[in-house]
Amino acid sequence: MSFLTGALCDRFSAQENFQIAEPLFRYFGGKSQFSGQITTLKVFEDNTLVRSVLEEKVTERVLVIDGGGSKRCALLGDTLTALAVENGWQGIVVYGSIRGSEAINKMPIGVVALNTHPLCSSKHGHGHRDSMITFAGVNFKKDHYLYADSDGIIVSETKLD
């Protein structure tokens, strides 16, 4: 599906449950535009659950990770991003940091994060999946739809055609 977030805003912003994320993020990956139904994770400086979710084969899904806004370590790197590509993920939004950005920029996936950090996260298996998470002024809920391009991120309860 080809779209522009600006055009989606022009057409749908008056609808209920249409949200626009605050412009806090940097864009990575070889896809400047991605969309899909949301899967959520809430973790803090621990990417064990990130790996287990990205190991799942999916169609038209976007992983949204609330990492508490931490800039002290990376929740996602090039190895996990390659796993996401292999398993059909369209994009990943990280409210936290990533690493391996040069390699990620060559992969056919969209990645949005606060920043980069060279240190890998811990691995304790702590976190929550598929609960509502909130950051950048948006409530991200499982199975809602996310649209992202170089102009921003939009979330809608329903698919926007």
Side-chain angles (χ1 to χ4, degrees):
M1 174 184 173
S2 183
F3 63 88
L4 296 172
T5 55
L8 292 176
C9 284
D10 293 345
R11 289 184 58 204
F12 298 105
S13 63
Q15 288 184 2
E16 283 187 42
N17 300 309
F18 182 94
Q19 303 172 84
I20 304 167
E22 296 169 3
L24 309 174
F25 301 98
R26 291 179 58 192
Y27 290 76
F28 305 92
K31 284 175 69 175
S32 61
Q33 176 188 83
F34 62 92
S35 65
Q37 282 189 283
I38 295 171
T39 296
T40 65
L41 279 180
K42 185 171 181 65
V43 298
F44 187 73
E45 298 181 356
D46 180 344
N47 74 350
T48 307
L49 288 177
V50 175
R51 172 177 286 281
S52 67
V53 169
L54 293 177
E55 287 174 340
E56 299 172 11
K57 295 265 187 214
V58 298
T59 304
E60 302 300 318
R61 293 206 72 87
V62 174
L63 179 59
V64 179
I65 305 166
D66 180 353
S70 175
K71 295 180 183 174
R72 300 187 314 184
C73 64
L75 291 174
L76 181 77
D78 57 313
T79 302
L80 290 182
T81 304
L83 182 64
V85 170
E86 180 182 322
N87 288 322
W89 292 88
Q90 298 301 302
I92 305 168
V93 176
V94 183
Y95 187 56
S97 298
I98 67 164
R99 70 182 195 166
S101 61
E102 292 294 323
I104 290 170
N105 285 338
K106 296 174 184 159
M107 296 181 195
I109 190 169
V111 176
V112 180
L114 292 177
N115 219 324
T116 58
H117 197 289
L119 180 66
C120 181
S121 74
S122 64
K123 308 214 182 324
H124 299 292
H126 299 221
H128 302 282
R129 180 181 177 165
D130 293 332
S131 57
M132 185 182 81
I133 55 178
T134 303
F135 58 85
V138 171
N139 295 319
F140 298 90
K141 296 179 182 177
K142 181 183 186 287
D143 293 334
H144 283 196
Y145 292 84
L146 183 143
Y147 300 85
D149 67 11
S150 57
D151 286 337
I153 299 170
I154 293 171
V155 173
S156 174
E157 184 175 350
T158 57
K159 190 171 186 175
L160 305 176
D161 298 319

